[in-house]
Amino acid sequence: MFSGKTEELIRILRRSDLAGKKIIVVKPLIDVRSTDEIASRRTSSGQSKDFAKSEVFPAISIESAQELGDIIRREQPTILAIDEAQFFDPWLMDFLVDLMRRTRDTDLTVLVAGLDMDAWGKPFGVMPHVMALADEVQKETAICFQCKMPAMFTQKLVSSEQQVEVGDFEIY
């Protein structure tokens, strides 16, 4: 959380948009922090309670392979971006493998952003599998608000043992 994953994704998407690429961004329906966009969050004071949206990009909330397939067929994007991939069910992995096979000779670029580990340092959802498939992996790290050192793990601020818990600075 707060490592700049979505911020970096939006930066790449803005450049792709300038280059005239047809972009589709999807995010999991479970991510209710915003309905029709992905958003990076930034703090100006370095305090965990001072986060606000800094960059946004339009996105479509989905929950199934059928929805994603329909969007790709209808929109014919050259860039498919998937944010918060750790929240998707295992169907995403099968979908991406099939997509790679079907679009090998096309100009479709797939960008995926998400957490690879949960708050306990365990693999999170489909992300480790997606990373294994990727041509390129870029890992971002947050800065710990306490010690100001790079943070390799997400810290949960509430006493919950749920792996999937959508939230912002009030939980993480």
Side-chain angles (χ1 to χ4, degrees):
M1 295 291 299
F2 309 114
S3 64
K5 297 177 304 301
T6 301
E7 182 178 16
E8 178 64 11
L9 181 60
I10 291 172
R11 185 190 71 77
I12 294 167
L13 295 174
R14 294 253 184 257
R15 289 178 58 85
S16 298
D17 188 44
L18 286 171
K21 303 290 185 181
K22 171 82 175 190
I23 302 166
I24 295 297
V25 180
V26 297
K27 64 182 211 136
L29 192 60
I30 190 174
D31 184 0
V32 294
R33 294 174 296 169
S34 60
T35 56
D36 59 353
E37 65 189 16
I38 58 172
S40 65
R41 287 155 178 78
R42 230 184 233 169
T43 179
S44 57
S45 70
Q47 300 298 314
S48 63
K49 302 289 187 225
D50 187 36
F51 274 94
K53 288 181 187 178
S54 64
E55 292 275 340
V56 297
F57 204 90
I60 303 165
S61 296
I62 64 166
E63 66 178 339
S64 72
Q66 180 69 43
E67 286 176 281
L68 185 51
D70 290 346
I71 290 167
I72 291 170
R73 279 187 291 284
R74 182 177 64 246
E75 301 296 330
Q76 305 266 317
T78 52
I79 306 274
L80 170 63
I82 302 168
D83 196 29
E84 301 292 356
Q86 76 276 2
F87 292 139
F88 281 108
D89 289 332
W91 66 260
L92 181 62
M93 186 62 201
D94 296 332
F95 185 92
L96 291 174
V97 168
D98 185 55
L99 185 65
M100 286 172 52
R101 288 183 178 131
R102 287 186 292 115
T103 60
R104 188 181 351 244
D105 298 324
T106 68
D107 289 333
L108 180 64
T109 298
V110 180
L111 306 170
V112 181
L115 292 170
D116 62 339
M117 294 185 293
D118 65 15
W120 298 274
K122 295 191 170 114
F124 201 166
V126 298
M127 279 304 296
H129 301 287
V130 170
M131 291 169 68
L133 274 179
D135 293 330
E136 191 176 315
V137 174
Q138 180 175 330
K139 288 185 78 164
E140 305 291 337
T141 56
I143 300 297
C144 175
F145 288 113
Q146 300 299 314
C147 69
K148 307 302 183 202
M149 298 294 291
M152 296 299 296
F153 301 101
T154 299
Q155 180 183 13
K156 217 167 203 187
L157 302 174
V158 297
S159 60
S160 165
E161 294 190 23
Q162 294 179 17
Q163 185 182 44
V164 175
E165 195 161 9
V166 178
D168 274 325
F169 61 84
E170 74 282 358
I171 297 177
Y172 300 97

